[in-house]
C-alpha cells in the first residue's frame, strides 16, 4: 500500500494492529536459584506489573489516543463535507476503539508490553476487549463507483491511490488528490501530507521496540518468565510468543485454554518483574533515540501541533453547525 493510500483510509485501531506483538494450577514457590538470578537482573528496574501510566521519551512526538481520535475524526469530517458537494456520502466513524479497554495506555496509542492486566487476562485472555469482531463481507465500496472514487482521490482508476483531478461529470472541478487531498491540505497543509504520526517518529518507535526486545537484559527476564511458564506446562520463549500464538486468532472469543495461559502469563510477569525490566530498557532506548534525533523530532512536534490546531478548528465548526441545526429544528 502506498503512502498516499494510508492518508485517507481511516485505521481500525485494535490491539492486534497496534504493538502487542511485542496464554493451571501450580504453587507459587520459586526455586532459590531462580530467585537469585531474578534479583540480579531486576535490581535496577522499577517494580511494575503495568507500565501504561508511565510516559516514554517518544510520547511527546507521537499522537496520544485522544489526539489521534481528534485528528482522524477531523480528517474524516473534512472528507465527508467535500464528498457531499459531489453528491456522495463518506462514513465518519463515531470513535476509534483500540480494543484494549481499561488496559489501554493513556499517553500513547501502542501497548508496547502487551496486555498487563490480570482482570483482562481472566476475562478476555489475549483477545481485545469484547473479543474479535465478526468478519464482515468485503465490500467494493468507493472502488465500485468510478465517479465516487474520482471525487475522493482525483482519479477514476481504482488501481491508483490518487490523481491530478479534473472536471467531474456534473461540471464541478475535482482538485489534485480529490477530497482526500482537500482534507489533507486542511489538516497538514499539504495535499499529500501524512495524517497522524510522522514517519521519523514512527520509525524510531518501531526501531526502539525491536532493540528493547533484543537487549540482553530483556532477554534475561524473558528467559526467567519462560522457565516460570514451563511450571504451568506452557512452552513459550517470551510473552510476545504467547501473545501471538496462532490458536488465539481462530475464534472471536477466547477459549478456556487461552484464558488459563494468559493468567499464567500475568503471574509469571509479576513474579519476575518482566514489565519493569522491559519498560526500563525500552525507556533507555527511546531516550537515546530522542537525543540522537533531537532536531528532526522538534520539527515533528511542530507538524503534530499544526494537525491538532487544524483538527480542533474543524471539530469546533462542526459542533457550531450541529448546535445551530438543533436550535433551528427546535
Amino acid at each position: 500500500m502506498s503512502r498516499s493510500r494510508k492518508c485517507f483510509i481511516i485505521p481500525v485501531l485494535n490491539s492486534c494492529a497496534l504493538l502487542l506483538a511485542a496464554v493451571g494450577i501450580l504453587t507459587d514457590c520459586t526455586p532459590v536459584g531462580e530467585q537469585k538470578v531474578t534479583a540480579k537482573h531486576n535490581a535496577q528496574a522499577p517494580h511494575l506489573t503495568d507500565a501504561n501510566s508511565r510516559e516514554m521519551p517518544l510520547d511527546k512526538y507521537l499522537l496520544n489516543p485522544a489526539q489521534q481520535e481528534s485528528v482522524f475524526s477531523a480528517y474524516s469530517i473534512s472528507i465527508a463535507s467535500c464528498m457531499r458537494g459531489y453528491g456522495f456520502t463518506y462514513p465518519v466513524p463515531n470513535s476509534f476503539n483500540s480494543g484494549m479497554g481499561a488496559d489501554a495506555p493513556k499517553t500513547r496509542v501502542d501497548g508496547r508490553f502487551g496486555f498487563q492486566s490480570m482482570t483482562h487476562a481472566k476475562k478476555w485472555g489475549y483477545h481485545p476487549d469484547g473479543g474479535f469482531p465478526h468478519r464482515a463481507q468485503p465490500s467494493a465500496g468507493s472502488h465500485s463507483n468510478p465517479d465516487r472514487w474520482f471525487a475522493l482521490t482525483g482519479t477514476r482508476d481504482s488501481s491508483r491511490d490518487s490523481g491530478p483531478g479534473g472536471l467531474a461529470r456534473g461540471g464541478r472541478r475535482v482538485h489534485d488528490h480529490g477530497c482526500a487531498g482537500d482534507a489533507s491540505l486542511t489538516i497538514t497543509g499539504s495535499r499529500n501530507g501524512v495524517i497522524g504520526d510522522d514517519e521519523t517518529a514512527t520509525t524510531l518507535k518501531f526501531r526502539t521496540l525491536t532493540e528493547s526486545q533484543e537487549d540482553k537484559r530483556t532477554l534475561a527476564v524473558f528467559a526467567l518468565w519462560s522457565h516460570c511458564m514451563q511450571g504451568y506446562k506452557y512452552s513459550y520463549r517470551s510473552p510476545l510468543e504467547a501473545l501471538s500464538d496462532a490458536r488465539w486468532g481462530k475464534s472471536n472469543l477466547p477459549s478456556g485454554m487461552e484464558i488459563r495461559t494468559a493468567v499464567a502469563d500475568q503471574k509469571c510477569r509479576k513474579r519476575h518483574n518482566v514489565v519493569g525490566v522491559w519498560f526500563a530498557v525500552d525507556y533507555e532506548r527511546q531516550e537515546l533515540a530522542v537525543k540522537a534525533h533531537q532536531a528532526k523530532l522538534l520539527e515533528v512536534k511542530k507538524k503534530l501541533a499544526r494537525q491538532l490546531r487544524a483538527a480542533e478548528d474543524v471539530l469546533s465548526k462542526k459542533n457550531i453547525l450541529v448546535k445551530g441545526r438543533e436550535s433551528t429544528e427546535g
Side-chain angles (χ1 to χ4, degrees), residues 106-172:
K106 302 298 186 292
T107 62
R108 55 187 176 278
V109 171
D110 307 309
R112 292 175 72 93
F113 314 105
F115 291 110
Q116 302 162 68
S117 164
M118 180 62 83
T119 300
H120 184 99
K122 288 179 177 179
K123 186 173 183 179
W124 299 112
Y126 293 106
H127 274 58
D129 195 55
F132 292 131
H134 292 279
R135 291 188 179 90
Q137 292 296 320
S139 171
S142 304
H143 295 68
S144 62
N145 187 330
D147 290 331
R148 186 174 189 276
W149 188 245
F150 180 56
L152 179 63
T153 66
T155 178
R156 288 189 173 86
D157 185 350
S158 62
S159 66
R160 296 184 59 192
D161 297 336
S162 62
L167 290 179
R169 285 197 166 85
R172 185 174 176 181

Side-chain angles (χ1 to χ4, degrees), residues 15-16 23 99-103 115 117-133 243 248-249 251-263 266:
S15 58
C16 295
V23 206
M100 295 183 72
D103 202 39
F115 291 110
S117 164
M118 180 62 83
T119 300
H120 184 99
K122 288 179 177 179
K123 186 173 183 179
W124 299 112
Y126 293 106
H127 274 58
D129 195 55
F132 292 131
L243 173 64
W248 314 149
S251 61
N252 297 106
L253 296 175
S255 64
M257 177 181 289
E258 178 183 339
I259 288 175
R260 289 190 296 273
T261 308
V263 168
Q266 294 302 319

